[in-house]
Amino acid sequence: MNLSEHSSILIVVVPLIASFLNVFIGLWRRSLCYPLFLLALVICGFLSIDLIQNIINNGTIRYKLGGWMPPWGIEYVVDHLNAYVILIVSFISLLVAIYSKRSLEKELEESKLPYFYSTYLLLVTGLLGITVTGDIFNLFVFLEIASLAGYALIAIGENRSVLASFNYIIMGTIGACFYLLGVGYIYIITGSLNMLDIAQLLPKLYESKVTLAAFAFLVVGVAIKIALFPLHRWLPDAYTYAPSAVSVLASATMTKVGIYVLIRISFTIFEPNFSKDIIPAGTILVWWSTIAIIFGSILALGQIDFKRTLSYILIAEVGYMVLGVNLGNKEGFIGAVLHILNDALMIACLFMVTGGIYYYLKSRNIEDFVGLNKKMPLSMASFSIVALSMIGIPPTAGFFSKWYLIIGAIKAEQWIAVIALLFSSLVNAIIFFRILEKIYFKKGNSTKDINVKEVPVSMLIPILILATSVILVGLFSGKIISSIIQFTVPGGF
Amino acid sequence: MIRLIEDLHIQFVCRIMVPLIQFFALYVIAHGHYSPGGGFQGGCILGASFILMMIAYDIEYVKKRFPEKFNTFMVAFGVFLYAAIGALCLILGAEYLNYGILHKILPADPVKVRALGTLGIEIGVGITVSAVMLSIFLNLSTFGKHEKSEV
């Protein structure tokens, strides 16, 4: 068996099998669950590195599932964009797995841990499956696996998490149904489910009303899943009340994978000029996301609970990426794809630090963060780096993607979008400098005399790795763009 | 909450019906790829037979025959069977879920082996679906407590 030939399927199968093995082992020896869980994610990490190297050297990988020829069988297609998102998902999920060990000990009963690990692995399976598949119905199946695992993981949090998860189920199911309806319409008119096959068959049918309905259903369905502005209501509650580790994983990977699906729909299944010339979907989404940026930023400013602040910032960040994808030029698209990586790193790090503060302090209230720099110096240093990146200060990663996005918006002459991007940076500056002032400069010790200290090493290491990679990605962003991202730009830009 | 009501008629009918339902469920699973049916449908019918037993007798009565730990094991085992048969094809050198390659370890020709591979997967799906049906019913009827009902 040649391993790298099969790496695109193995990356889905390994977490899937490990998730069921975890249940068996959990019934027998509970202490062996965590090592198995970690091992599966480490293997995923290696496979994703193998995949991206393979693609940089040899180009697109196509894999026939079950030996059936496409377009009849399911085909897995991995190109630069897939490999890039797979690398992000497996890297973040490995770091969160390391982080989760200690944080879960305080937030979950020990008897439930094996089930947590297997649900976590199912979520990772779903997310990786969405990214590797080249079949729109298979994508729906993985979307449901990821969402169902996500609902379960969110519901095991604090008291109110059950209600939050229920709201998420309702919204998420509507989103999935819309997506499925879109797939159904496409299947009715083309008779195919393979993305590349559909891309060849569809252009003759662009004038058909069915095609327009299919496109609308697909885009709105995915917009619910990524919480784009008017459809975002489920997100803040779900991510605020979920356990810390789940918030990190969900916020850093689920929305990014959703953006990936949006890119696939707009530029692979449909040709880029469809959403520009035939219906003004690109323009509508630009306006939609501009409102998302402004709205998310303003609401983030008004929150007391820091996790909720981050959730609203995430809504604004989703706006950034959707904006960049739909600007219709190369700079905007590169900015959006680069921002998928940057935002995953930054949001994951911020949620991890919040979880770390909550670990001893038992509070996420911004007012309680006073004087934390003396007690948790390393976490707070990482927090500061990422905060600067969120604002967009040059050597950090956040600057570069914002730079590309603003250039793209100027080129597309979307002046309101430019203003929204600058406005959002300013609001981020207010939010984070206000917190940094509390952490570093404000006198007094309001940490309630609780014995707050630096978080355990296994939680600290992922935070430090993410903070370092925020700087490294910033420094090497030119290299990342020239070796991977420039190949993801669809033709015609 | 399900209380035990000793009703001879219900229990008697249930005693006759359950084996028939289970037998039909196995038929639907096994005959799935020649006629309408398959793992999911057969699994549903199999799960329904256990639920009928719970309604006619008592939760404890079913739990004695089908312990909860065993049920949890079965939920994962069915899907594991699915994934493992696929992975077995991978190990033998073909694509994932390409059952034709199983003729290397099974004494039959590739075409027959492909049908057998599908049957293995249908059985896996059936096991998981019936176990999940049971566990959903158990959770709903005891408000998630899985305890002995108040008789």
PDB file of all heavy atoms in Angstrom, chain A residues 1 6 9-10 13 17 20-21 23-24 27 63-64 66-68 115, chain B residues 69 72-73 76-77 79-80 83 87 90-91 94-98 114:
ATOM      1  N   MET A   1       0.853  -1.201   0.000  1.00  0.00           N
ATOM      2  CA  MET A   1       0.000   0.000   0.000  1.00  0.00           C
ATOM      3  C   MET A   1       0.881   1.241   0.000  1.00  0.00           C
ATOM      4  O   MET A   1       1.717   1.418   0.876  1.00  0.00           O
ATOM      5  CB  MET A   1      -0.896  -0.021   1.238  1.00  0.00           C
ATOM      6  CG  MET A   1      -1.791   1.178   1.331  1.00  0.00           C
ATOM      7  SD  MET A   1      -2.951   1.071   2.708  1.00  0.00           S
ATOM      8  CE  MET A   1      -1.910   1.580   4.071  1.00  0.00           C
ATOM      9  N   HIS A   6      -2.756   7.302  -0.988  1.00  0.00           N
ATOM     10  CA  HIS A   6      -4.047   7.224  -0.322  1.00  0.00           C
ATOM     11  C   HIS A   6      -4.242   8.304   0.733  1.00  0.00           C
ATOM     12  O   HIS A   6      -5.208   8.259   1.475  1.00  0.00           O
ATOM     13  CB  HIS A   6      -4.203   5.859   0.360  1.00  0.00           C
ATOM     14  CG  HIS A   6      -4.306   4.721  -0.602  1.00  0.00           C
ATOM     15  ND1 HIS A   6      -5.436   4.470  -1.338  1.00  0.00           N
ATOM     16  CD2 HIS A   6      -3.409   3.780  -0.944  1.00  0.00           C
ATOM     17  CE1 HIS A   6      -5.231   3.414  -2.099  1.00  0.00           C
ATOM     18  NE2 HIS A   6      -4.008   2.972  -1.886  1.00  0.00           N
ATOM     19  N   ILE A   9      -7.707  10.003   1.356  1.00  0.00           N
ATOM     20  CA  ILE A   9      -8.805   9.291   2.033  1.00  0.00           C
ATOM     21  C   ILE A   9      -8.420   8.991   3.475  1.00  0.00           C
ATOM     22  O   ILE A   9      -9.248   9.069   4.382  1.00  0.00           O
ATOM     23  CB  ILE A   9      -9.204   8.005   1.268  1.00  0.00           C
ATOM     24  CG1 ILE A   9     -10.372   7.295   1.960  1.00  0.00           C
ATOM     25  CG2 ILE A   9      -8.073   7.024   1.148  1.00  0.00           C
ATOM     26  CD1 ILE A   9     -11.672   7.945   1.733  1.00  0.00           C
ATOM     27  N   LEU A  10      -7.129   8.692   3.693  1.00  0.00           N
ATOM     28  CA  LEU A  10      -6.708   8.336   5.047  1.00  0.00           C
ATOM     29  C   LEU A  10      -6.969   9.470   6.025  1.00  0.00           C
ATOM     30  O   LEU A  10      -7.280   9.245   7.191  1.00  0.00           O
ATOM     31  CB  LEU A  10      -5.217   7.989   5.054  1.00  0.00           C
ATOM     32  CG  LEU A  10      -4.880   6.572   4.620  1.00  0.00           C
ATOM     33  CD1 LEU A  10      -3.381   6.400   4.534  1.00  0.00           C
ATOM     34  CD2 LEU A  10      -5.446   5.571   5.607  1.00  0.00           C
ATOM     35  N   VAL A  13     -10.374   8.795   7.099  1.00  0.00           N
ATOM     36  CA  VAL A  13     -10.627   7.496   7.713  1.00  0.00           C
ATOM     37  C   VAL A  13      -9.960   7.378   9.083  1.00  0.00           C
ATOM     38  O   VAL A  13     -10.540   6.789   9.999  1.00  0.00           O
ATOM     39  CB  VAL A  13     -10.158   6.371   6.763  1.00  0.00           C
ATOM     40  CG1 VAL A  13     -10.248   5.043   7.440  1.00  0.00           C
ATOM     41  CG2 VAL A  13     -10.994   6.365   5.521  1.00  0.00           C
ATOM     42  N   ILE A  17     -12.128   6.124  12.272  1.00  0.00           N
ATOM     43  CA  ILE A  17     -11.944   4.846  12.965  1.00  0.00           C
ATOM     44  C   ILE A  17     -11.512   5.087  14.402  1.00  0.00           C
ATOM     45  O   ILE A  17     -11.989   4.425  15.327  1.00  0.00           O
ATOM     46  CB  ILE A  17     -10.933   3.979  12.189  1.00  0.00           C
ATOM     47  CG1 ILE A  17     -11.568   3.523  10.882  1.00  0.00           C
ATOM     48  CG2 ILE A  17     -10.505   2.778  13.005  1.00  0.00           C
ATOM     49  CD1 ILE A  17     -10.773   2.538  10.097  1.00  0.00           C
ATOM     50  N   PHE A  20     -14.404   5.632  16.819  1.00  0.00           N
ATOM     51  CA  PHE A  20     -15.141   4.469  17.329  1.00  0.00           C
ATOM     52  C   PHE A  20     -14.277   3.642  18.260  1.00  0.00           C
ATOM     53  O   PHE A  20     -14.761   3.126  19.272  1.00  0.00           O
ATOM     54  CB  PHE A  20     -15.669   3.626  16.171  1.00  0.00           C
ATOM     55  CG  PHE A  20     -16.495   4.423  15.220  1.00  0.00           C
ATOM     56  CD1 PHE A  20     -16.216   4.443  13.882  1.00  0.00           C
ATOM     57  CD2 PHE A  20     -17.531   5.198  15.693  1.00  0.00           C
ATOM     58  CE1 PHE A  20     -16.968   5.210  13.014  1.00  0.00           C
ATOM     59  CE2 PHE A  20     -18.287   5.962  14.846  1.00  0.00           C
ATOM     60  CZ  PHE A  20     -17.997   5.970  13.499  1.00  0.00           C
ATOM     61  N   LEU A  21     -12.981   3.544  17.942  1.00  0.00           N
ATOM     62  CA  LEU A  21     -12.080   2.818  18.842  1.00  0.00           C
ATOM     63  C   LEU A  21     -12.090   3.451  20.228  1.00  0.00           C
ATOM     64  O   LEU A  21     -11.986   2.779  21.247  1.00  0.00           O
ATOM     65  CB  LEU A  21     -10.654   2.828  18.283  1.00  0.00           C
ATOM     66  CG  LEU A  21     -10.386   1.870  17.125  1.00  0.00           C
ATOM     67  CD1 LEU A  21      -8.944   2.006  16.671  1.00  0.00           C
ATOM     68  CD2 LEU A  21     -10.652   0.444  17.555  1.00  0.00           C
ATOM     69  N   VAL A  23     -14.563   4.801  21.752  1.00  0.00           N
ATOM     70  CA  VAL A  23     -15.717   4.332  22.532  1.00  0.00           C
ATOM     71  C   VAL A  23     -15.421   2.952  23.121  1.00  0.00           C
ATOM     72  O   VAL A  23     -15.661   2.699  24.300  1.00  0.00           O
ATOM     73  CB  VAL A  23     -16.980   4.283  21.653  1.00  0.00           C
ATOM     74  CG1 VAL A  23     -18.147   3.704  22.424  1.00  0.00           C
ATOM     75  CG2 VAL A  23     -17.323   5.659  21.151  1.00  0.00           C
ATOM     76  N   PHE A  24     -14.857   2.043  22.289  1.00  0.00           N
ATOM     77  CA  PHE A  24     -14.557   0.694  22.784  1.00  0.00           C
ATOM     78  C   PHE A  24     -13.578   0.765  23.951  1.00  0.00           C
ATOM     79  O   PHE A  24     -13.777   0.147  24.995  1.00  0.00           O
ATOM     80  CB  PHE A  24     -13.933  -0.178  21.685  1.00  0.00           C
ATOM     81  CG  PHE A  24     -14.779  -0.310  20.465  1.00  0.00           C
ATOM     82  CD1 PHE A  24     -14.211  -0.497  19.218  1.00  0.00           C
ATOM     83  CD2 PHE A  24     -16.157  -0.251  20.556  1.00  0.00           C
ATOM     84  CE1 PHE A  24     -14.985  -0.617  18.083  1.00  0.00           C
ATOM     85  CE2 PHE A  24     -16.945  -0.366  19.438  1.00  0.00           C
ATOM     86  CZ  PHE A  24     -16.353  -0.542  18.195  1.00  0.00           C
ATOM     87  N   LEU A  27     -14.911   1.988  27.229  1.00  0.00           N
ATOM     88  CA  LEU A  27     -15.664   1.027  28.037  1.00  0.00           C
ATOM     89  C   LEU A  27     -14.728   0.111  28.807  1.00  0.00           C
ATOM     90  O   LEU A  27     -15.110  -0.495  29.805  1.00  0.00           O
ATOM     91  CB  LEU A  27     -16.564   0.183  27.128  1.00  0.00           C
ATOM     92  CG  LEU A  27     -17.719   0.908  26.446  1.00  0.00           C
ATOM     93  CD1 LEU A  27     -18.360   0.012  25.419  1.00  0.00           C
ATOM     94  CD2 LEU A  27     -18.749   1.365  27.457  1.00  0.00           C
ATOM     95  N   TYR A  63      -8.767  11.116  -6.343  1.00  0.00           N
ATOM     96  CA  TYR A  63      -8.860   9.787  -5.753  1.00  0.00           C
ATOM     97  C   TYR A  63     -10.244   9.226  -5.993  1.00  0.00           C
ATOM     98  O   TYR A  63     -11.239   9.869  -5.684  1.00  0.00           O
ATOM     99  CB  TYR A  63      -8.588   9.899  -4.251  1.00  0.00           C
ATOM    100  CG  TYR A  63      -8.511   8.579  -3.538  1.00  0.00           C
ATOM    101  CD1 TYR A  63      -7.311   7.894  -3.462  1.00  0.00           C
ATOM    102  CD2 TYR A  63      -9.631   8.017  -2.942  1.00  0.00           C
ATOM    103  CE1 TYR A  63      -7.231   6.680  -2.819  1.00  0.00           C
ATOM    104  CE2 TYR A  63      -9.563   6.804  -2.295  1.00  0.00           C
ATOM    105  CZ  TYR A  63      -8.350   6.142  -2.234  1.00  0.00           C
ATOM    106  OH  TYR A  63      -8.273   4.939  -1.596  1.00  0.00           O
ATOM    107  N   LYS A  64     -10.303   8.028  -6.584  1.00  0.00           N
ATOM    108  CA  LYS A  64     -11.602   7.423  -6.891  1.00  0.00           C
ATOM    109  C   LYS A  64     -12.019   6.550  -5.711  1.00  0.00           C
ATOM    110  O   LYS A  64     -11.402   5.526  -5.444  1.00  0.00           O
ATOM    111  CB  LYS A  64     -11.513   6.564  -8.145  1.00  0.00           C
ATOM    112  CG  LYS A  64     -11.069   7.311  -9.378  1.00  0.00           C
ATOM    113  CD  LYS A  64     -11.200   6.455 -10.616  1.00  0.00           C
ATOM    114  CE  LYS A  64     -10.196   5.318 -10.631  1.00  0.00           C
ATOM    115  NZ  LYS A  64      -8.808   5.782 -10.800  1.00  0.00           N
ATOM    116  N   GLY A  66     -13.796   3.774  -3.752  1.00  0.00           N
ATOM    117  CA  GLY A  66     -14.409   2.496  -4.096  1.00  0.00           C
ATOM    118  C   GLY A  66     -14.068   2.015  -5.489  1.00  0.00           C
ATOM    119  O   GLY A  66     -14.642   1.047  -5.961  1.00  0.00           O
ATOM    120  N   GLY A  67     -13.143   2.704  -6.171  1.00  0.00           N
ATOM    121  CA  GLY A  67     -12.741   2.274  -7.501  1.00  0.00           C
ATOM    122  C   GLY A  67     -13.743   2.620  -8.585  1.00  0.00           C
ATOM    123  O   GLY A  67     -13.561   2.232  -9.738  1.00  0.00           O
ATOM    124  N   TRP A  68     -14.829   3.340  -8.243  1.00  0.00           N
ATOM    125  CA  TRP A  68     -15.826   3.714  -9.251  1.00  0.00           C
ATOM    126  C   TRP A  68     -15.337   4.950  -9.980  1.00  0.00           C
ATOM    127  O   TRP A  68     -14.849   5.888  -9.364  1.00  0.00           O
ATOM    128  CB  TRP A  68     -17.182   3.997  -8.606  1.00  0.00           C
ATOM    129  CG  TRP A  68     -17.749   2.842  -7.873  1.00  0.00           C
ATOM    130  CD1 TRP A  68     -17.764   2.672  -6.525  1.00  0.00           C
ATOM    131  CD2 TRP A  68     -18.367   1.688  -8.425  1.00  0.00           C
ATOM    132  NE1 TRP A  68     -18.350   1.490  -6.208  1.00  0.00           N
ATOM    133  CE2 TRP A  68     -18.731   0.857  -7.362  1.00  0.00           C
ATOM    134  CE3 TRP A  68     -18.636   1.283  -9.730  1.00  0.00           C
ATOM    135  CZ2 TRP A  68     -19.361  -0.361  -7.543  1.00  0.00           C
ATOM    136  CZ3 TRP A  68     -19.274   0.069  -9.910  1.00  0.00           C
ATOM    137  CH2 TRP A  68     -19.629  -0.734  -8.830  1.00  0.00           C
ATOM    138  N   TYR A 115     -16.534   9.791  25.418  1.00  0.00           N
ATOM    139  CA  TYR A 115     -17.531  10.228  24.440  1.00  0.00           C
ATOM    140  C   TYR A 115     -17.176  11.600  23.888  1.00  0.00           C
ATOM    141  O   TYR A 115     -17.393  11.878  22.716  1.00  0.00           O
ATOM    142  CB  TYR A 115     -18.926  10.233  25.070  1.00  0.00           C
ATOM    143  CG  TYR A 115     -19.282   8.888  25.639  1.00  0.00           C
ATOM    144  CD1 TYR A 115     -19.579   8.728  26.976  1.00  0.00           C
ATOM    145  CD2 TYR A 115     -19.264   7.770  24.826  1.00  0.00           C
ATOM    146  CE1 TYR A 115     -19.867   7.484  27.498  1.00  0.00           C
ATOM    147  CE2 TYR A 115     -19.546   6.528  25.335  1.00  0.00           C
ATOM    148  CZ  TYR A 115     -19.852   6.385  26.670  1.00  0.00           C
ATOM    149  OH  TYR A 115     -20.121   5.152  27.170  1.00  0.00           O
TER     150      TYR A 115
ATOM    151  N   LYS B  69     -24.361  -0.895  28.544  1.00  0.00           N
ATOM    152  CA  LYS B  69     -22.977  -0.840  28.072  1.00  0.00           C
ATOM    153  C   LYS B  69     -22.851  -1.541  26.727  1.00  0.00           C
ATOM    154  O   LYS B  69     -22.167  -1.070  25.818  1.00  0.00           O
ATOM    155  CB  LYS B  69     -22.058  -1.522  29.095  1.00  0.00           C
ATOM    156  CG  LYS B  69     -21.044  -0.577  29.698  1.00  0.00           C
ATOM    157  CD  LYS B  69     -20.102  -1.321  30.612  1.00  0.00           C
ATOM    158  CE  LYS B  69     -18.971  -0.408  31.011  1.00  0.00           C
ATOM    159  NZ  LYS B  69     -18.032  -1.029  31.923  1.00  0.00           N
ATOM    160  N   THR B  72     -24.209   0.732  24.041  1.00  0.00           N
ATOM    161  CA  THR B  72     -23.231   1.752  23.660  1.00  0.00           C
ATOM    162  C   THR B  72     -22.171   1.161  22.738  1.00  0.00           C
ATOM    163  O   THR B  72     -21.790   1.762  21.736  1.00  0.00           O
ATOM    164  CB  THR B  72     -22.535   2.302  24.918  1.00  0.00           C
ATOM    165  OG1 THR B  72     -23.529   2.556  25.887  1.00  0.00           O
ATOM    166  CG2 THR B  72     -21.761   3.551  24.610  1.00  0.00           C
ATOM    167  N   PHE B  73     -21.735  -0.060  23.122  1.00  0.00           N
ATOM    168  CA  PHE B  73     -20.731  -0.738  22.310  1.00  0.00           C
ATOM    169  C   PHE B  73     -21.264  -0.953  20.899  1.00  0.00           C
ATOM    170  O   PHE B  73     -20.570  -0.708  19.910  1.00  0.00           O
ATOM    171  CB  PHE B  73     -20.383  -2.073  22.971  1.00  0.00           C
ATOM    172  CG  PHE B  73     -19.422  -2.908  22.183  1.00  0.00           C
ATOM    173  CD1 PHE B  73     -18.065  -2.642  22.234  1.00  0.00           C
ATOM    174  CD2 PHE B  73     -19.879  -3.943  21.402  1.00  0.00           C
ATOM    175  CE1 PHE B  73     -17.180  -3.404  21.509  1.00  0.00           C
ATOM    176  CE2 PHE B  73     -18.995  -4.707  20.661  1.00  0.00           C
ATOM    177  CZ  PHE B  73     -17.636  -4.441  20.715  1.00  0.00           C
ATOM    178  N   ALA B  76     -21.284   2.074  18.459  1.00  0.00           N
ATOM    179  CA  ALA B  76     -20.005   2.349  17.795  1.00  0.00           C
ATOM    180  C   ALA B  76     -19.577   1.192  16.904  1.00  0.00           C
ATOM    181  O   ALA B  76     -18.956   1.405  15.873  1.00  0.00           O
ATOM    182  CB  ALA B  76     -18.944   2.642  18.841  1.00  0.00           C
ATOM    183  N   PHE B  77     -19.938  -0.041  17.319  1.00  0.00           N
ATOM    184  CA  PHE B  77     -19.428  -1.207  16.593  1.00  0.00           C
ATOM    185  C   PHE B  77     -19.961  -1.272  15.164  1.00  0.00           C
ATOM    186  O   PHE B  77     -19.224  -1.602  14.230  1.00  0.00           O
ATOM    187  CB  PHE B  77     -19.789  -2.489  17.344  1.00  0.00           C
ATOM    188  CG  PHE B  77     -19.338  -3.728  16.642  1.00  0.00           C
ATOM    189  CD1 PHE B  77     -17.981  -4.048  16.637  1.00  0.00           C
ATOM    190  CD2 PHE B  77     -20.226  -4.556  15.993  1.00  0.00           C
ATOM    191  CE1 PHE B  77     -17.541  -5.179  15.975  1.00  0.00           C
ATOM    192  CE2 PHE B  77     -19.790  -5.684  15.339  1.00  0.00           C
ATOM    193  CZ  PHE B  77     -18.444  -5.992  15.331  1.00  0.00           C
ATOM    194  N   VAL B  79     -20.874   1.153  13.037  1.00  0.00           N
ATOM    195  CA  VAL B  79     -20.188   2.068  12.127  1.00  0.00           C
ATOM    196  C   VAL B  79     -18.728   1.662  11.982  1.00  0.00           C
ATOM    197  O   VAL B  79     -18.128   1.808  10.916  1.00  0.00           O
ATOM    198  CB  VAL B  79     -20.282   3.519  12.631  1.00  0.00           C
ATOM    199  CG1 VAL B  79     -20.017   4.465  11.504  1.00  0.00           C
ATOM    200  CG2 VAL B  79     -21.612   3.795  13.226  1.00  0.00           C
ATOM    201  N   PHE B  80     -18.188   1.114  13.078  1.00  0.00           N
ATOM    202  CA  PHE B  80     -16.796   0.667  13.025  1.00  0.00           C
ATOM    203  C   PHE B  80     -16.651  -0.438  11.980  1.00  0.00           C
ATOM    204  O   PHE B  80     -15.682  -0.468  11.212  1.00  0.00           O
ATOM    205  CB  PHE B  80     -16.354   0.180  14.398  1.00  0.00           C
ATOM    206  CG  PHE B  80     -14.947  -0.338  14.411  1.00  0.00           C
ATOM    207  CD1 PHE B  80     -13.883   0.533  14.347  1.00  0.00           C
ATOM    208  CD2 PHE B  80     -14.697  -1.689  14.476  1.00  0.00           C
ATOM    209  CE1 PHE B  80     -12.588   0.067  14.343  1.00  0.00           C
ATOM    210  CE2 PHE B  80     -13.403  -2.172  14.474  1.00  0.00           C
ATOM    211  CZ  PHE B  80     -12.342  -1.290  14.406  1.00  0.00           C
ATOM    212  N   ALA B  83     -16.496   1.234   8.619  1.00  0.00           N
ATOM    213  CA  ALA B  83     -15.209   1.872   8.340  1.00  0.00           C
ATOM    214  C   ALA B  83     -14.097   0.841   8.221  1.00  0.00           C
ATOM    215  O   ALA B  83     -13.187   0.989   7.405  1.00  0.00           O
ATOM    216  CB  ALA B  83     -14.887   2.878   9.443  1.00  0.00           C
ATOM    217  N   ALA B  87     -11.465   0.109   5.315  1.00  0.00           N
ATOM    218  CA  ALA B  87     -10.026   0.208   5.556  1.00  0.00           C
ATOM    219  C   ALA B  87      -9.321  -1.089   5.190  1.00  0.00           C
ATOM    220  O   ALA B  87      -8.156  -1.071   4.773  1.00  0.00           O
ATOM    221  CB  ALA B  87      -9.775   0.558   7.018  1.00  0.00           C
ATOM    222  N   LEU B  90      -8.365  -0.943   1.787  1.00  0.00           N
ATOM    223  CA  LEU B  90      -7.217  -0.038   1.655  1.00  0.00           C
ATOM    224  C   LEU B  90      -5.926  -0.787   1.959  1.00  0.00           C
ATOM    225  O   LEU B  90      -4.934  -0.684   1.242  1.00  0.00           O
ATOM    226  CB  LEU B  90      -7.409   1.114   2.643  1.00  0.00           C
ATOM    227  CG  LEU B  90      -6.729   2.432   2.345  1.00  0.00           C
ATOM    228  CD1 LEU B  90      -7.333   3.041   1.111  1.00  0.00           C
ATOM    229  CD2 LEU B  90      -6.920   3.372   3.517  1.00  0.00           C
ATOM    230  N   ILE B  91      -5.968  -1.613   3.032  1.00  0.00           N
ATOM    231  CA  ILE B  91      -4.763  -2.347   3.431  1.00  0.00           C
ATOM    232  C   ILE B  91      -4.397  -3.375   2.359  1.00  0.00           C
ATOM    233  O   ILE B  91      -3.224  -3.593   2.086  1.00  0.00           O
ATOM    234  CB  ILE B  91      -5.003  -3.029   4.803  1.00  0.00           C
ATOM    235  CG1 ILE B  91      -5.115  -1.959   5.881  1.00  0.00           C
ATOM    236  CG2 ILE B  91      -3.874  -3.987   5.142  1.00  0.00           C
ATOM    237  CD1 ILE B  91      -5.678  -2.451   7.184  1.00  0.00           C
ATOM    238  N   ALA B  94      -6.287  -1.787  -2.583  1.00  0.00           N
ATOM    239  CA  ALA B  94      -7.189  -1.105  -3.513  1.00  0.00           C
ATOM    240  C   ALA B  94      -7.646   0.212  -2.888  1.00  0.00           C
ATOM    241  O   ALA B  94      -7.174   0.589  -1.824  1.00  0.00           O
ATOM    242  CB  ALA B  94      -8.390  -1.984  -3.810  1.00  0.00           C
ATOM    243  N   GLU B  95      -8.597   0.890  -3.555  1.00  0.00           N
ATOM    244  CA  GLU B  95      -9.120   2.123  -2.982  1.00  0.00           C
ATOM    245  C   GLU B  95     -10.008   1.796  -1.790  1.00  0.00           C
ATOM    246  O   GLU B  95     -10.463   0.665  -1.622  1.00  0.00           O
ATOM    247  CB  GLU B  95      -9.942   2.892  -4.034  1.00  0.00           C
ATOM    248  CG  GLU B  95      -9.136   3.535  -5.121  1.00  0.00           C
ATOM    249  CD  GLU B  95      -8.972   2.606  -6.307  1.00  0.00           C
ATOM    250  OE1 GLU B  95      -9.401   1.442  -6.211  1.00  0.00           O
ATOM    251  OE2 GLU B  95      -8.404   3.059  -7.316  1.00  0.00           O
ATOM    252  N   TYR B  96     -10.286   2.830  -0.992  1.00  0.00           N
ATOM    253  CA  TYR B  96     -11.180   2.700   0.147  1.00  0.00           C
ATOM    254  C   TYR B  96     -12.550   2.249  -0.343  1.00  0.00           C
ATOM    255  O   TYR B  96     -13.073   2.787  -1.319  1.00  0.00           O
ATOM    256  CB  TYR B  96     -11.280   4.051   0.852  1.00  0.00           C
ATOM    257  CG  TYR B  96     -12.014   4.017   2.158  1.00  0.00           C
ATOM    258  CD1 TYR B  96     -11.444   3.429   3.266  1.00  0.00           C
ATOM    259  CD2 TYR B  96     -13.270   4.581   2.281  1.00  0.00           C
ATOM    260  CE1 TYR B  96     -12.114   3.393   4.466  1.00  0.00           C
ATOM    261  CE2 TYR B  96     -13.942   4.558   3.483  1.00  0.00           C
ATOM    262  CZ  TYR B  96     -13.359   3.962   4.570  1.00  0.00           C
ATOM    263  OH  TYR B  96     -14.025   3.930   5.763  1.00  0.00           O
ATOM    264  N   LEU B  97     -13.129   1.253   0.298  1.00  0.00           N
ATOM    265  CA  LEU B  97     -14.449   0.705  -0.021  1.00  0.00           C
ATOM    266  C   LEU B  97     -14.515  -0.025  -1.363  1.00  0.00           C
ATOM    267  O   LEU B  97     -15.590  -0.312  -1.855  1.00  0.00           O
ATOM    268  CB  LEU B  97     -15.539   1.792  -0.007  1.00  0.00           C
ATOM    269  CG  LEU B  97     -15.916   2.365   1.347  1.00  0.00           C
ATOM    270  CD1 LEU B  97     -16.980   3.428   1.181  1.00  0.00           C
ATOM    271  CD2 LEU B  97     -16.426   1.298   2.273  1.00  0.00           C
ATOM    272  N   ASN B  98     -13.368  -0.333  -1.963  1.00  0.00           N
ATOM    273  CA  ASN B  98     -13.375  -1.112  -3.199  1.00  0.00           C
ATOM    274  C   ASN B  98     -13.376  -2.599  -2.831  1.00  0.00           C
ATOM    275  O   ASN B  98     -12.352  -3.258  -2.776  1.00  0.00           O
ATOM    276  CB  ASN B  98     -12.139  -0.759  -4.022  1.00  0.00           C
ATOM    277  CG  ASN B  98     -12.207  -1.317  -5.415  1.00  0.00           C
ATOM    278  OD1 ASN B  98     -13.087  -2.118  -5.707  1.00  0.00           O
ATOM    279  ND2 ASN B  98     -11.306  -0.906  -6.259  1.00  0.00           N
ATOM    280  N   ARG B 114     -17.793  -8.528  -4.067  1.00  0.00           N
ATOM    281  CA  ARG B 114     -18.278  -7.139  -4.013  1.00  0.00           C
ATOM    282  C   ARG B 114     -19.668  -7.080  -3.372  1.00  0.00           C
ATOM    283  O   ARG B 114     -19.953  -6.223  -2.528  1.00  0.00           O
ATOM    284  CB  ARG B 114     -18.328  -6.567  -5.424  1.00  0.00           C
ATOM    285  CG  ARG B 114     -18.423  -5.071  -5.476  1.00  0.00           C
ATOM    286  CD  ARG B 114     -18.252  -4.584  -6.892  1.00  0.00           C
ATOM    287  NE  ARG B 114     -16.913  -4.135  -7.185  1.00  0.00           N
ATOM    288  CZ  ARG B 114     -16.439  -2.957  -6.800  1.00  0.00           C
ATOM    289  NH1 ARG B 114     -17.176  -2.129  -6.118  1.00  0.00           N
ATOM    290  NH2 ARG B 114     -15.216  -2.593  -7.098  1.00  0.00           N
TER     291      ARG B 114
END
